[in-house]
Amino acid sequence: MTDEEIVNEIVFNNKTELFEVLYNRYSSLIYNKCFSFVNNQPEAQDLTQDIFLKLFIKLSTYTNKSKFSTWLYSFTYNYCINYITRNPVKKYEFCFPEYFEIGNYYSDDLNSSENTEALEKQLNKALNALPENDRYILILKYKNDMSINKIQSVLGLGNSAVKMRIKRAKEKLAACYVAA
């Protein structure tokens, strides 16, 4: 049976036992994607289980507009991004994976106004060291809080091009931040 047929059987004929087939097909792929976000085996396992629980609940929202595997990948990716952005420590670890470990800083240090000013100064210095195009796209996204779609129309680029430029600009910013 194809993935799409399995989903239809689960959703329309209430054959929930078929969910195990989907789990067996995709659990290792989802685990690997989760691990790429959190870089921690137990946490990736927990995320994988959470995703499958959410998936079971949301299975009826799958509309067959794309392959199930594509939809599942997008579902997993979005879940992981939401997990990272809701957890401030994970957010910083994800943004600066090889340069920055939040665990090395004490919360008192992070909250002091002196330290905040120094960090802000270092960030501005790093931002100013970026090429104009990279600085501009980061300002649009994070300072002006523009959506990807809005940035698309402003820059006249496609969705994936905007996402890739933001990703590359963030990587350059992380490298400049460490050097600053």
Side-chain angles (χ1 to χ4, degrees):
M1 285 180 90
T2 66
D3 296 337
E4 292 76 12
E5 290 171 338
I6 292 171
V7 170
N8 285 335
E9 287 294 315
I10 294 169
V11 172
F12 297 115
N13 297 328
N14 204 25
K15 293 189 177 181
T16 55
E17 66 275 2
L18 290 175
F19 192 74
E20 182 180 6
V21 176
L22 293 176
Y23 182 86
N24 291 336
R25 284 184 189 173
Y26 292 105
S27 61
S28 62
L29 294 171
I30 290 176
Y31 169 80
N32 290 335
K33 178 48 71 185
C34 292
F35 189 82
S36 74
F37 276 88
V38 296
N39 209 20
N40 177 303
Q41 186 178 2
E43 195 170 7
Q45 289 170 338
D46 289 345
L47 275 174
T48 301
Q49 293 304 313
D50 291 347
I51 287 169
F52 273 103
L53 286 171
K54 285 277 189 197
L55 178 66
F56 186 76
I57 294 166
K58 298 283 187 178
L59 207 53
S60 62
T61 64
Y62 173 65
T63 60
N64 279 339
K65 289 183 181 176
S66 61
K67 288 179 64 176
F68 177 77
S69 57
T70 304
W71 181 81
L72 180 58
Y73 178 86
S74 176
F75 186 90
T76 301
Y77 180 83
N78 289 332
Y79 190 89
C80 289
I81 289 292
N82 288 337
Y83 175 78
I84 295 294
T85 56
R86 278 181 285 173
N87 184 338
V89 172
K90 287 293 173 198
K91 186 176 187 178
Y92 288 111
E93 286 176 358
F94 184 70
C95 290
F96 305 107
E98 60 264 2
Y99 309 110
F100 190 80
E101 288 199 24
I102 196 80
N104 294 335
Y105 296 91
Y106 294 101
S107 60
D108 293 341
D109 292 340
L110 288 174
N111 292 331
S112 75
S113 62
E114 231 174 66
N115 197 35
T116 303
E117 288 175 23
L119 291 173
E120 188 175 328
K121 191 179 281 188
Q122 186 177 357
L123 181 61
N124 284 329
K125 185 177 177 183
L127 195 57
N128 289 328
L130 291 177
E132 182 66 32
N133 289 342
D134 292 332
R135 183 173 50 246
Y136 183 62
I137 201 163
L138 289 176
I139 288 171
L140 288 176
K141 176 69 177 148
Y142 297 104
K143 189 173 184 183
N144 297 345
D145 201 28
M146 282 190 177
S147 68
I148 298 294
N149 290 337
K150 186 79 171 168
I151 295 172
Q152 265 183 260
S153 63
V154 168
L155 298 180
L157 298 171
N159 188 295
S160 60
V162 169
K163 290 177 181 178
M164 185 54 68
R165 286 191 184 184
I166 289 172
K167 178 185 181 294
R168 289 179 182 154
K170 284 174 30 180
E171 289 170 353
K172 288 178 188 176
L173 179 63
C176 290
Y177 184 83
V178 170

